[in-house]
């Protein structure tokens, strides 16, 4: 059984994922860019595969009417994204400990990407979701 671990920058929030995860999706929407400072790279797992410690240091922000984002309230690290009513949680790829075992998937919302970078990695690109 696969097991991955990760944490925020300061270590106040840690997590582990047991079992398979989705490929990494790169989101270039305006919300992701503004809230992360660039684009977001995230994988996902079923909620019953995810164990989080330090939840008293985890703050959830309603990013839209459809989803919320989980941050460490101590260091500000963006860790999670969760659609309302979903039984899956997206996890920021950069928050995993190495070796991650993660694989790249594709880019979404490329119509909204920043004008200061190019996408030249050969991965599939989708204008929207």
């Amino acid at each position: 059984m696969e097991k991955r671990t990760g944490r925020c920058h300061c270590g106040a929030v840690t997590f582990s994922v047991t079992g398979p995860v989705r490929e990494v999706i790169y989101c270039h929407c305006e919300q992701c860019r503004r809230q992360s400072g660039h684009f977001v790279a995230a994988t996902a797992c079923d909620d019953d595969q995810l164990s989080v410690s330090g939840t008293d240091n985890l703050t959830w922000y309603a990013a839209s009417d459809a989803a919320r984002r989980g941050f460490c309230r101590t260091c500000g690290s963006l860790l999670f994204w969760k659609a309302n009513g979903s039984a899956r949680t997206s996890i920021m790829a950069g928050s995993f400990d190495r070796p991650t075992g993660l694989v790249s998937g594709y880019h979404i919302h490329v119509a909204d990407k920043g004008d200061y970078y190019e996408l030249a990695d050969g991965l599939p690109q989708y204008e929207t979701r």
Side-chain angles (χ1 to χ4, degrees):
M1 180 70 63
E2 298 175 67
K3 183 169 183 177
R4 294 174 175 85
T5 59
R7 64 180 182 86
C8 64
H9 179 68
C10 73
V13 179
T14 61
F15 64 87
S16 63
V17 178
T18 304
V21 296
R22 181 194 69 205
E23 70 273 14
V24 174
I25 295 174
Y26 303 93
C27 183
H28 302 269
C29 77
E30 184 176 352
Q31 259 188 24
C32 282
R33 288 188 301 106
R34 290 191 184 277
Q35 291 180 333
S36 73
H38 195 35
F39 59 86
V40 161
T43 185
C45 69
D46 293 338
D47 288 345
D48 62 359
Q49 295 174 272
L50 177 62
S51 175
V52 180
S53 297
T55 55
D56 52 329
N57 295 300
L58 186 61
T59 297
W60 288 93
Y61 168 69
S64 70
D65 291 339
R68 58 193 181 131
R69 297 176 191 267
F71 296 84
C72 172
R73 74 174 59 197
T74 303
C75 67
S77 295
L78 172 59
L79 297 167
F80 307 113
W81 182 92
K82 187 160 182 64
N84 297 337
S86 175
R88 291 181 61 80
T89 299
S90 292
I91 307 166
M92 301 305 116
S95 64
F96 282 91
D97 298 323
R98 292 183 190 187
T100 66
L102 300 175
V103 296
S104 296
Y106 52 91
H107 297 271
I108 60 174
H109 294 289
V110 297
D112 295 335
K113 80 170 201 56
D115 61 0
Y116 58 91
Y117 62 93
E118 296 300 320
L119 301 177
D121 57 14
L123 294 173
Q125 299 179 20
Y126 301 96
E127 293 292 307
T128 61
R129 188 168 177 83

